[in-house]
């Protein structure tokens, strides 16, 4: 929604939708690790859009690590 509003307002820069990959939500935990974006994967996409090269790693919160759902 934010990106759409920016483009409607005349924004001419690069934009990218960041979220789940284009596939059904997997139930095995090992596949969930590829499906759900992480703080680090989001930051890496932003850095790529800004042409910034960095080995940035953002720690994952304990709540995310301990999450056992939705299945």
């Amino acid at each position: 929604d934010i990106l759409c509003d920016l483009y409607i307002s005349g924004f001419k820069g690069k934009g990218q939708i960041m979220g789940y990959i284009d596939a059904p939500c997997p139930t095995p935990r090992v596949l969930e690790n590829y499906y759900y974006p992480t703080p680090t994967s989001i930051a890496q996409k932003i850095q790529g859009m800004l042409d910034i090269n960095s080995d940035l790693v953002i720690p994952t919160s304990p709540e995310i690590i301990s999450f056992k759902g939705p299945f």
Side-chain angles (χ1 to χ4, degrees):
D1 284 348
I2 295 170
L3 185 59
C4 181
D5 288 343
L6 286 170
Y7 280 118
I8 288 171
S9 298
F11 179 71
K12 302 291 183 200
K14 291 191 275 184
Q16 185 174 4
I17 296 172
M18 292 181 245
Y20 305 132
I21 60 172
D22 190 19
C25 180
T27 54
R29 179 67 173 184
V30 70
L31 294 178
E32 285 182 3
N33 293 337
Y34 293 103
Y35 182 78
Y36 293 108
T38 65
T40 299
S41 68
I42 293 169
Q44 288 172 341
K45 279 193 172 190
I46 292 169
Q47 287 179 332
M49 291 172 64
L50 298 172
D51 295 323
I52 297 171
N53 294 321
S54 170
D55 291 332
L56 177 68
V57 175
I58 300 173
T60 304
S61 70
E63 295 83 8
I64 298 295
I65 293 171
S66 66
F67 180 67
K68 302 294 184 212
F71 304 106

